[in-house]
């Protein structure tokens, strides 16, 4: 879109927010330890950012770091302590 | 079919003829009988519409915005304080490009607490992005509502419209009205089928937050649509004339202006009174004319300029006051004529506020005043309050 | 084999603008799992105007109609009337509003919608203050809480009264179904929203939605603090239908102090104030229990 002529008639959306990389907001990164993970999917259930993915039931959950804001709910709620929040600048 | 009906009955009839699908209305004097008549027609099955008994005018407009997004043709009506309460949602309706049509039965805003007609209510909403058209009589009320749907729902326009009828003078007065058959209207006005409406195959958010990078361009497109609406009203008028014989093909209706020395611009029911006065003046050899302003938004700048090219002394009668220089129409007319300011004189008259009668005799005095200005080439006052009890009582 | 305990489909997009740990965003994600794609949401000015992202993008994968602050009840009635006019009867209409937009500025239109018996689900995400504008007191701000307009100060001007009893107000008004839900109990939440879909008339869902910046809690504690609200009896989970109340989770086991002291907005509370909150919660909870019988939607 370059000019007013390219706009839709009113302010309706044209795409989802998926292209917004909210992962850049993150200060702490959740890291899932699959040795401790029991695949209860509590982390998936409570993620406000739709950033914990379970592709198939039975698989280990995975974090979408492009969108995870690092709120830490997953680590706080994990019943087995399988998720650790690690400062981004400590990861090389 | 000829019928005898009040302005409010004509407005309700127009909604029925337009096959309105959703009505949301709240009572207020002098609009109430429109909502009552519609409720009655829906209850009797004469109208196949959903009637939402809202708890305020603000909610009436909000409900219609929601309904319009589903693709329903929508209708409400209000007056005065009710219109003022809607103010916020009037902006929403025009910004969201929902072609809601709403008769406004004009009435003063209090205090002074007053239920009678003037145009302070509608002029208070002139910058909300709504089209605003004034009716001289009950026939126009019926006809302009039908035309309004055709223009408002045009894919290039998609703007809401107010059709303004003067409280009591039209709303509660019986007049002869020629009511077209609904089948004829179906031919003139097609079902509402907007491009922008809720669609589950393409779920969208309607009314997103827009940042400063594009908000101005959206506003500009609203402005362009309003500008385009001038042509669409003329086209709708030509088609209407072809179908029903009545002529609304101009935004300003000129009455005996061709060879006039002076002309008075009037909107609403007072235009009829002004025409009678003009006839009387003509009988006495005074060359005066009336320019009836049908559309206030879009504003017919070109038509007013064309009038100014022929008639060099122009009066503007306003039933409103802007607390600046004169009434709302006066301001617009002076603006439009500014390029010919050295040749044309414009005088503003404020009158008929709070339902004060404006008589033929008073219009005659205005015409005499204008003729004196035309003769002397000067005027002592730019704006005058007509028949004001100021002790001198010049009129 | 490990199983998901909630529907898998996501109708909230990644990349939305909700704050880290936003309870309302989690709530939307959970509610939409229950509502499904044939849902039209309408929403006033509130956090969600921003959370959904900036044009031309949008975060929800269902149609959303935005409008002004006080309109949710009215717009919901309008949408339903238009659907009825068009003969469309397989769409769920949802009004989605914050607590201020519901119990304060939106109360009139909501009451009108209930009075009209509009067939829709009203979901109030209650973060207990005007959060989008930066934490000002609403009719849902709890007793003694700090906000920017109940700042305490020299005169101890904290919130002076308890929350408006919105559920009781709407029950008297004539809702067909009412339920409290919490982001800390997702299965219960999904069950109740699914149940609301099956009932005709106006359904009201009161959802406690923690707000890390507004409540002054770490973002990681969002769910935990919401859970404490239920475990202390401050926000019991119950349902109302046809004159009957059902307590879904009778889990009041903890003192209110634990909930209050977990949040910066209550850190100024004196032992006497805490005792007063405890007294009121005990009284309210007992009154609720007296009204409740039987098992509800989530068993």
């Amino acid at each position: 879109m370059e000019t007013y002529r390219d706009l839709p008639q009113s302010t309706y959306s044209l795409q989802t927010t998926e292209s917004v990389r909210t992962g850049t907001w993150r200060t702490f990164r959740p890291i899932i330890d699959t040795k401790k993970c029991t695949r209860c999917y509590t982390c998936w259930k409570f993620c406000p950012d739709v950033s914990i993915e379970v592709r198939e039931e039975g698989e280990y959950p995975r974090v979408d770091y492009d969108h995870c804001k690092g709120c830490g709910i997953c680590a706080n709620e994990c019943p087995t302590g399988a998720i650790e929040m690690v400062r981004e600048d400590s990861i090389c | 079919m000829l019928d005898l009906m009040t302005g409010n009955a004509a407005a309700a009839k127009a909604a029925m003829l337009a096959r309105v699908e959703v009505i949301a209305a709240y009572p207020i004097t002098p609009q109430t009988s429109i909502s009552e008549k519609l409720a009655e027609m829906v209850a009797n099955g004469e109208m196949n519409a959903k009637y939402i008994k809202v708890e305020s005018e603000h909610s009436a407009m909000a409900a219609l915005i929601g309904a319009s997004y589903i693709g329903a043709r929508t209708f409400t009506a209000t007056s005065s304080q009710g219109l003022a309460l809607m103010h916020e949602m009037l902006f929403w309706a025009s910004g969201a490009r929902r072609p809601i049509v709403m008769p406004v039965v004009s009435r003063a805003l209090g205090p002074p607490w007053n239920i009678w007609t003037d145009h302070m209510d509608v002029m208070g909403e002139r910058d909300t992005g709504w089209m605003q058209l004034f009716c001289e009589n009950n026939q126009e009320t019926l006809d302009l509502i039908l035309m309004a749907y055709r223009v408002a729902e045009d894919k290039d326009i998609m703007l809401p419209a107010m059709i303004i009828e003067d409280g009591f003078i039209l709303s509660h007065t019986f007049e002869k009205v020629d009511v077209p058959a609904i089948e004829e209207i179906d031919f003139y006005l097609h079902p509402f089928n907007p491009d922008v409406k809720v669609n589950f195959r393409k779920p969208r958010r309607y009314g997103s937050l827009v940042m400063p990078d594009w908000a101005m361009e959206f506003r500009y497109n609203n402005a362009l649509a309003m500008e385009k609406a001038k042509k669409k009203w003329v086209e709708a008028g030509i088609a209407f004339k072809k179908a029903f014989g009545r002529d609304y093909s101009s935004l300003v209706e000129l009455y005996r202006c061709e060879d006039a020395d002076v002309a008075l611009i009037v909107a609403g029911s007072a235009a009829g009174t002004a025409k009678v006065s003009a006839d009387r003046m003509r009988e006495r050899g005074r060359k005066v004319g009336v320019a009836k302003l049908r559309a206030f938004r879009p504003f017919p700048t070109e038509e007013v300029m064309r009038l100014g090219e022929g008639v060099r002394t122009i009066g503007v009668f306003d039933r409103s006051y802007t607390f600046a220089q004169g009434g709302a129409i006066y301001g617009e007319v002076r603006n439009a004529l500014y390029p010919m300011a050295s040749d044309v004189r414009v005088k503003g008259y404020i009158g008929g506020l709070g339902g004060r009668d404006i008589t033929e005799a008073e219009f005659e005095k205005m015409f005499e005043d204008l003729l004196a200005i035309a003769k002397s080439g000067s005027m002592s006052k730019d704006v005058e309050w007509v028949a004001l009890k100021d002790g001198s009582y010049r009129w | 084999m490990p199983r998901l305990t909630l529907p898998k489909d996501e109708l909230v997009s990644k990349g939305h603008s909700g704050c880290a740990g936003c309870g309302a965003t989690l709530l939307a994600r959970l509610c939409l799992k229950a509502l499904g794609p044939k849902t039209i949401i309408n929403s006033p000015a509130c956090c969600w105007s921003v959370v959904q992202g900036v044009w031309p993008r949008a975060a929800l994968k269902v149609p959303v109609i935005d409008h002004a602050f006080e309109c949710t009840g009215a717009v919901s009635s309008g949408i339903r009337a238009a659907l009825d006019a068009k003969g469309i009867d397989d769409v769920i209409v949802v009004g989605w509003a914050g607590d201020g937009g519901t119990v304060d500025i939106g109360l009139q239109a909501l009451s009108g919608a209930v009075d009209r018996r509009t067939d829709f689900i009203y979901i109030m995400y209650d973060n207990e203050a005007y959060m989008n504008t930066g934490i000002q007191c609403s009719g849902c701000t709890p007793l003694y809480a700090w906000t920017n307009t109940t700042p305490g100060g020299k005169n101890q001007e904290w919130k002076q009264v308890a929350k408006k009893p919105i559920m009781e107000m709407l029950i008297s008004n004539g809702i067909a179904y009412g339920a409290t839900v919490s982001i800390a109990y997702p299965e219960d939440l999904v069950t109740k929203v699914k149940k609301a879909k099956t009932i005709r008339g106006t359904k009201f869902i009161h959802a406690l939605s923690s707000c890390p910046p507004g409540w002054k809690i770490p973002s990681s504690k969002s769910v935990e603090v919401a859970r404490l609200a239920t475990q202390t009896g401050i926000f019991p989970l119950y349902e109302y239908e046809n004159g009957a109340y059902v307590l879904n989770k009778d889990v009041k086991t903890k003192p209110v102090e634990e909930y209050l002291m977990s949040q910066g907005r209550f850190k100024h509370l004196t032992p006497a104030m805490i005792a007063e909150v405890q007294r009121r919660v005990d009284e309210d909870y007992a009154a609720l229990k007296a009204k409740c019988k039987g098992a509800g939607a989530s068993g």
Side-chain angles (χ1 to χ4, degrees), chain A residues 14 17 53 55 69 71 77, chain C residues 8 14 18 56 187 219 227:
Chain A
L14 304 170
T17 51
E53 294 173 334
R55 301 222 176 117
K69 293 169 188 161
C71 70
E77 295 301 318
Chain C
K8 191 166 188 242
K14 298 169 176 189
E187 289 81 3
S219 60
R227 189 178 294 116

Side-chain angles (χ1 to χ4, degrees), chain A residues 12-32:
Chain A
Y12 55 81
S13 61
L14 304 170
Q15 60 192 86
T16 72
T17 51
E18 188 128 3
S19 57
V20 180
R21 297 278 183 255
T22 47
T24 58
W25 299 16
R26 196 172 53 242
T27 310
F28 292 93
R29 164 184 292 238
I31 293 175
I32 301 174

